[in-house]
Amino acid sequence: MNPVYETLQKAPALNKQELLSFLSQQETAIPVKLHTPSGNSFTAIIISLSKTSEEGNVITAELVDDRGLPRENYLYLAVNSIESIEIFGTENAIKILSAGTAQSGFAYGVSGKLDVNRAFKTFADYIKQQSGINTGLPEMELPSDGTALNRIVKLTGIIQQTIAEILKSEDARESWQQKYNRIAFVNSNHFDVKGNGNLLQILFPFADTGVPELQQENLSDKIMSAL
């Protein structure tokens, strides 16, 4: 089955209000086309969603041209007057219809196991250089899929930067040295960080390209709780 279809089949069902609310909260504007029962259509960027006593939920949007550039014309429209919302592009469709909980695997290239092993060596060398802590090479059972391997390379970079930042603290360095001399990345269906003897385990859907990537703030909090 097409991976896009598989991802969209897992997306939660959103009503128009929820979908428009999500669009209005995006830092990077995503143009969509709004269709009305009268046959009119408007390509626009949703600015806000609010509620009135008479018309109920209404949107404010800025109209854009065919290239997605602002026209400096604005639309005020009741949500009940919107018959359908057309979304442009696979990446946007997955992001919007999943309310940000999924992303397309097309965001990844293809890597080999050698690329991952190089990323693991860079990981250990960088942290040793920055903090003096020897984490050792991350231990992991690698998948065979090249797209999943590319995701692991990217996630390794995120983990590397997060740990290097944490180990700028002397207390964190001392705690790490007392507790851990090994680190493992564990492909899991949930996110967690936990100690297992002298091994620090980071559990995450490393190989699932339909799951959003690690957020450094969340990862930092989890690692600190394990120190």
Side-chain angles (χ1 to χ4, degrees), residues 27-193:
E27 293 183 5
T28 302
I30 304 175
V32 294
K33 181 173 283 190
L34 308 174
H35 298 272
T36 68
S38 61
N40 292 321
S41 62
F42 307 93
T43 302
I45 293 168
I46 309 302
I47 298 173
S48 66
L49 174 69
S50 53
K51 190 170 186 177
T52 65
S53 58
E54 293 183 1
E55 295 182 283
N57 293 302
V58 296
I59 62 163
T60 302
E62 183 173 15
L63 299 178
V64 298
D65 61 22
D66 293 338
R67 296 171 296 171
L69 298 176
R71 290 171 48 190
E72 297 187 354
N73 291 339
Y74 298 87
L75 178 70
Y76 183 77
L77 186 66
V79 171
N80 287 337
S81 298
I82 300 172
E83 184 176 49
S84 62
I85 302 170
E86 184 177 350
I87 303 168
F88 305 109
T90 298
E91 295 289 340
N92 286 337
I94 290 176
K95 181 176 181 179
I96 295 169
L97 294 175
S98 72
T101 62
Q103 62 185 36
S104 169
F106 297 128
Y108 298 102
V110 176
S111 295
K113 292 184 179 181
L114 182 59
D115 297 311
V116 177
N117 290 331
R118 286 172 178 159
F120 284 176
K121 186 176 187 307
T122 299
F123 170 94
D125 290 347
Y126 182 83
I127 293 175
K128 179 69 179 295
Q129 179 185 18
Q130 295 294 314
S131 65
I133 298 294
N134 183 14
T135 63
L137 296 179
E139 302 170 19
M140 186 177 194
E141 184 175 342
L142 297 179
S144 58
D145 178 71
T147 306
L149 291 171
N150 186 251
R151 173 177 163 90
I152 292 168
V153 170
K154 294 182 69 174
L155 292 173
T156 299
I158 294 172
I159 298 170
Q160 173 184 305
Q161 292 299 322
T162 304
I163 292 178
E165 189 67 28
I166 289 171
L167 293 179
K168 289 180 179 180
S169 164
E170 183 176 350
D171 289 343
R173 290 195 301 272
E174 289 180 356
S175 179
W176 191 294
Q177 286 179 316
Q178 291 170 5
K179 292 184 174 182
Y180 308 116
N181 56 30
R182 298 162 56 211
I183 187 168
F185 299 166
V186 181
N187 191 41
S188 171
N189 60 6
H190 70 285
F191 171 41
D192 199 7
V193 177

Side-chain angles (χ1 to χ4, degrees), residues 7-26:
T7 302
L8 290 177
Q9 284 177 345
K10 299 175 185 177
L14 303 176
N15 60 39
K16 281 187 293 184
Q17 182 179 338
E18 291 169 330
L19 192 150
L20 291 165
S21 176
F22 175 77
L23 284 167
S24 69
Q25 295 169 22
Q26 299 309 295

